[in-house]
């Protein structure tokens, strides 16, 4: 049974990490939908820096788990798909139509950042798994 689960694991990494990323977005960013008006009349938000930092730190754990087990591609694709879908859903009610630029930015940024982090994690943990065999 364990061998069967191990063979199935690479196929589950992408959907599981996409679901984790989507859930993390909802937990950290999904509840804050209003912009803050500053005393000078300018607006900020709707997200505070601590919310985005919390999202990134939350996603580091599943990305580390997948990349350290030689599923770096799944970590990159799953996280990118989850964040892109979440951004699209969250921002699609924007009447200006510019939300697609933001969604594209989230997609490219999460793809690049997750690829770099996964590459570093995969190289740093490569020897750990080779010694176990």
């Amino acid at each position: 049974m364990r061998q069967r689960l191990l063979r199935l694991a690479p196929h589950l990494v992408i959907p599981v990490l996409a679901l984790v990323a989507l859930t993390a977005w909802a937990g950290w960013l999904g509840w804050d939908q209003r912009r803050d008006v500053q005393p000078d009349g300018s607006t900020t938000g709707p997200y505070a820096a601590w919310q985005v930092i919390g999202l990134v730190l939350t996603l580091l754990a599943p990305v580390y788990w997948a990349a350290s087990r030689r599923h770096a591609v799944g970590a990159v694709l799953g996280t990118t798909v989850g964040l892109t879908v979440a951004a699209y859903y969250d921002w699609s009610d924007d009447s200006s139509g510019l939300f697609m630029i933001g969604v594209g930015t989230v997609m490219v940024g999460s793809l690049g950042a997750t690829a770099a982090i996964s590459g570093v994690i995969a190289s740093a943990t490569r020897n750990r798994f080779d010694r176990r065999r």
Side-chain angles (χ1 to χ4, degrees), residues 2 7 14 19 21 32-33 45-47 53 57 63 65-66 84-85 94 102 105 127 131 133:
R2 180 176 161 91
R7 278 183 278 146
I14 293 173
L19 184 62
D32 192 4
Q33 299 297 317
Y47 313 121
I53 292 168
L57 292 176
V63 167
W65 180 87
T84 303
V85 168
D94 178 39
T105 304
N127 294 335
R131 281 185 262 155
R133 292 182 181 183

Side-chain angles (χ1 to χ4, degrees), residues 47-90:
Y47 313 121
W50 65 268
Q51 290 173 285
V52 178
I53 292 168
L55 173 65
V56 169
L57 292 176
T58 301
L59 291 176
L60 274 177
V63 167
Y64 178 84
W65 180 87
S68 66
R69 284 160 180 74
R70 299 183 183 187
H71 301 299
V73 173
V76 172
L77 293 178
T79 304
T80 301
V81 166
L83 291 177
T84 303
V85 168
Y88 180 85
Y89 179 78
D90 195 15

